[in-house]
């Protein structure tokens, strides 16, 4: 399963946006309404749960300042990655999300619609808050 969001403009510089999106506490404010959110005790990941979905975790895998932040599944049971790309647009910047999930056909069939809805809602929240 692949998902790429639209590019989300920001008035922040590329470095400012990278710093904002590198602080995992800020993702709580970017989550859709009625989402349970918790930071991992290590500070290197977070989990969220949408109504009617199982809890989903994202572990920080890599940061390349100021270009991207890469998250991955915290367990070996499921294989997925979410990359937050950050680009300079002169004095401002823009961000977009790439999500890649390598699921078996049964899990993909069950997860595709809720994950796509979540990523679309996350994109909408980013438009409002970055």
């Amino acid at each position: 399963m692949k998902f790429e969001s639209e590019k989300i403009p920001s008035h922040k510089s590329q470095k400012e946006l990278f710093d904002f999106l590198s602080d995992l506490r800020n993702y709580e404010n970017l989550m859709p309404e009625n989402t349970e959110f918790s930071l991992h005790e290590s500070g290197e990941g977070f989990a969220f749960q949408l109504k009617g979905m199982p809890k989903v975790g994202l572990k920080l895998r890599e940061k390349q300042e100021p270009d991207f932040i890469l998250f991955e599944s915290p367990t070996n049971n499921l294989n997925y990655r979410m990359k937050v790309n950050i680009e300079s647009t002169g004095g401002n910047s823009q961000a977009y999300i790439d999500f890649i999930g390598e699921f078996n056909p049964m899990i993909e069939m069950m997860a595709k619609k809720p994950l796509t809805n979540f990523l679309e809602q996350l994109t909408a929240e980013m438009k409002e808050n970055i």
Side-chain angles (χ1 to χ4, degrees):
M1 177 185 152
K2 292 185 179 183
F3 173 88
E4 183 176 314
S5 76
E6 63 186 276
K7 294 190 176 183
I8 305 152
S10 173
H11 294 291
K12 297 177 182 349
S13 71
Q14 185 180 18
K15 166 92 169 87
E16 290 171 326
L17 186 54
F18 176 85
D19 290 344
F20 176 81
L21 294 171
S22 291
D23 183 346
L24 302 186
R25 294 172 296 191
N26 288 326
Y27 285 85
E28 183 171 14
N29 295 326
L30 298 176
M31 291 289 137
E33 285 186 29
N34 302 318
T35 302
E36 280 186 45
F37 179 88
S38 60
L39 279 175
H40 189 271
E41 60 191 39
S42 70
E44 294 296 312
F46 58 89
F48 59 92
Q49 184 172 14
L50 300 170
K51 186 176 180 181
M53 273 188 66
K55 190 177 268 192
V56 176
L58 289 167
K59 176 177 73 173
L60 182 62
R61 176 166 182 210
E62 179 183 356
K63 293 193 284 189
Q64 184 175 326
E65 187 176 342
D67 299 314
F68 70 83
I69 303 158
L70 180 62
F71 298 95
E72 66 182 0
S73 169
T75 69
N76 293 330
N77 297 343
L78 293 173
N79 186 8
Y80 55 88
R81 297 178 302 285
M82 183 176 87
K83 185 176 182 185
V84 181
N85 300 284
I86 305 160
E87 300 174 337
S88 176
T89 57
N92 297 328
S93 60
Q94 60 187 13
Y96 64 96
I97 298 169
D98 285 324
F99 179 89
I100 298 174
E102 296 170 10
F103 307 124
N104 70 44
M106 181 66 136
I107 291 183
E108 183 165 338
M109 185 178 73
M110 293 185 317
K112 186 170 185 163
K113 185 174 182 178
L115 275 174
T116 300
N117 286 342
F118 164 73
L119 291 164
E120 288 172 350
Q121 290 176 343
L122 179 60
T123 300
E125 291 295 327
M126 288 175 75
K127 280 183 185 177
E128 296 288 321
N129 293 294
I130 66 168

